Amino acid sequence: MMEELALDMRDRWFMRSADSAILSCGAQGQNRPAIAALLDCIERHLPIHARQGEGTAISAVDSPVNAGRPLLYCQSSGSTDLAKTIRRSHASWIASFEVNRGRYTLGKHDRYAVLGSLGHSLSLYAVTEALHLGADILALGGDSPRAQVVVLREARASVLYSTPSQLRLLQRVDAGALPDIRLVFCGGGALGTDERADLAELFPNAELFEFYGASETSFITISTADTPPGSVGRAYPGVTLKLRPVAGEDAEIWVSSPYLFDGYDGGRAGDTRWDGDFLTVGEIGRMDRQGNLFLRGRRSRMVTVADVNVFLEDVEQVMLDESAGRACAAVAVPDALRGNAVIGFAEGAADEALAERIKARCRAALGSHAVPRRIGFLDPMPMLPSGKPDLVALQRLAGGG
């Protein structure tokens, strides 16, 4: 009986509640084709393909192999490598829609806003959840941050799904508070230590939930008000975590949940591995006794500098904290004597004083081996559609690729 129920769940298709209305597709209607294509796929029970970049963000998958199967194809962020196409069941997202409905009292009384293209899985997830739960939708990807703030205020949006980079752009507008937003879900990167306080001024009546996950896993952990600094929170409901030691206190994070993807549609990723029902994407971290997870970074982004392991994500977090929310990134280039050298990048005009402060803070927090050899300033920072720095482009600029 349980096996039959599980199979029935896997056969579930996305749906659109009759209560859900599309309130905005952007100032120029730029998101209307993607919304229309998504609604068409849902209405006709067609597999969905979401693409990043230019062109139509959503289309149906009409391959005979996939006909009649509730599948979603979307792309990984591609921040460290070429973007890969993720294949997952509709049920893997529907399961978390239902969790969020109960946990955060989401429903037809809400107005969801997304700030990115529907080709990015975070925005697509939020729009699809709103359709499922009967909430209204403001699809604002492609609008300027100032225009987005105006619509968020005038339409009285109550739920916002965003990346850290998108939130920083809203803060820079300095157009006053948005009191009607009650929930902010932030994923796709880390907020700086001081940024949460700044966001409390922008969203004075909102609860802010940072969540950690990947395109392959969906939700893994989510923060709460009592999450300690530096942690990404405890396991999201339905998630089982296993940490397998790799060195010292560090361990590789393995996850089992109803939200995992089915596989890649062609190609593979070296960090992504299965072991029975458990999956890892090569993330390294540790967990405290209360179940709070602390991340170090991806195994593939750990480099050796003078025989010391350096996680580039650690360097990026220090840079972010020191630079007051500028977009920051770190890459590594080969070094004949030390094995590798760290190169940092920050968005904006050249600022030697800031560069020296960043180096000093890295030295104090992480040790001399993690201090960037140099820090380049870029305006603008090359970014991916997901709102993350384009590490492949930055690696070329640094001379390491």
Side-chain angles (χ1 to χ4, degrees):
M1 179 65 71
M2 291 301 294
E3 291 182 359
E4 291 178 0
L5 179 60
L7 287 172
D8 181 63
M9 287 292 292
R10 295 288 293 180
D11 288 337
R12 293 185 68 182
W13 291 81
F14 292 143
M15 58 168 283
R16 179 187 183 179
S17 168
D19 294 310
S20 183
I22 311 300
L23 301 183
S24 175
C25 290
Q28 305 300 320
Q30 65 270 15
N31 299 304
R32 188 170 292 114
I35 292 284
L38 175 62
L39 294 175
D40 182 60
C41 287
I42 291 174
E43 181 179 348
R44 296 201 289 146
H45 280 192
L46 297 174
I48 300 164
H49 193 173
R51 296 177 177 85
Q52 296 183 10
E54 300 299 325
T56 303
I58 304 293
S59 63
V61 177
D62 56 8
S63 166
V65 175
N66 301 313
R69 299 177 63 195
L71 294 175
L72 167 66
Y73 296 80
C74 55
Q75 289 182 296
S76 64
S77 65
S79 55
T80 60
D81 202 346
L82 294 176
K84 296 170 288 293
T85 299
I86 304 296
R87 183 182 69 253
R88 61 166 58 251
S89 68
H90 291 196
S92 65
W93 274 9
I94 293 171
S96 55
F97 297 166
E98 297 298 345
V99 169
N100 291 343
R101 184 207 299 270
R103 187 167 183 166
Y104 305 110
T105 60
L106 296 167
K108 61 183 181 180
H109 53 278
D110 282 307
R111 290 183 171 178
Y112 276 50
V114 298
L115 308 180
S117 160
L118 267 68
H120 179 220
S121 61
L122 176 62
S123 297
L124 178 60
Y125 176 92
V127 168
T128 311
E129 179 177 78
L131 290 170
H132 185 87
L133 301 181
D136 295 336
I137 295 166
L138 301 160
L140 306 180
D143 287 350
S144 70
R146 184 169 298 277
Q148 290 174 337
V149 168
V150 170
V151 175
L152 290 172
R153 180 179 291 110
E154 292 181 351
R156 304 188 68 178
S158 60
V159 178
L160 176 64
Y161 272 85
S162 179
T163 67
S165 296
Q166 291 164 351
L167 291 177
R168 292 174 194 127
L169 291 173
L170 291 187
Q171 286 179 286
R172 292 178 188 177
V173 171
D174 193 25
L178 297 168
D180 292 302
I181 291 183
R182 69 181 188 91
L183 295 170
V184 177
F185 295 102
C186 179
L191 290 167
T193 304
D194 299 328
E195 289 182 296
R196 292 182 69 95
D198 294 337
L199 289 170
E201 295 183 11
L202 180 60
F203 308 114
N205 300 316
E207 292 183 272
L208 172 63
F209 296 97
E210 290 185 79
F211 62 87
Y212 157 59
S215 300
E216 294 87 348
T217 64
S218 196
F219 292 101
I220 295 179
T221 63
I222 194 162
S223 69
T224 60
D226 62 351
T227 297
S231 170
V232 292
R234 299 187 181 95
Y236 181 83
V239 171
T240 300
L241 294 175
K242 287 185 179 180
L243 273 67
R244 299 180 179 177
V246 292
E249 294 185 352
D250 291 333
E252 189 168 53
I253 301 163
W254 289 76
V255 56
S256 176
S257 80
Y259 322 120
L260 302 182
F261 83 139
D262 293 345
Y264 296 111
D265 189 42
R268 61 184 298 274
D271 284 339
T272 304
R273 308 185 309 280
W274 289 91
D275 184 359
D277 293 334
F278 281 82
L279 172 72
T280 183
V281 293
E283 201 84 52
I284 306 297
R286 64 178 178 84
M287 188 181 293
D288 68 14
R289 293 182 179 180
Q290 289 71 45
N292 295 296
L293 186 65
F294 295 79
L295 300 181
R296 292 297 307 278
R298 289 254 176 143
R299 184 192 287 268
S300 60
R301 297 200 70 209
M302 183 183 75
V303 298
T304 302
V305 180
D307 298 322
V308 176
N309 291 335
V310 176
F311 283 92
L312 294 172
E313 288 95 332
D314 285 346
V315 179
E316 290 168 345
Q317 187 62 56
V318 172
M319 293 180 67
L320 183 65
D321 290 343
E322 185 59 39
S323 63
R326 295 185 187 217
C328 296
V331 299
V333 297
D335 180 272
L337 294 178
R338 294 161 61 86
N340 291 282
V342 177
I343 307 296
F345 291 95
E347 188 171 45
D351 187 336
E352 286 304 314
L354 174 59
E356 291 305 312
R357 292 199 306 273
I358 288 173
K359 291 179 180 180
R361 188 160 180 169
C362 284
R363 183 175 290 106
L366 304 174
S368 59
H369 50 276
V371 177
R373 172 178 291 174
R374 66 178 185 273
I375 295 172
F377 289 88
L378 302 171
D379 193 9
M381 174 78 77
M383 304 292 281
L384 297 167
S386 61
K388 299 179 183 179
D390 187 340
L391 298 179
V392 175
L394 294 174
Q395 189 74 59
R396 288 196 294 267
L397 288 173

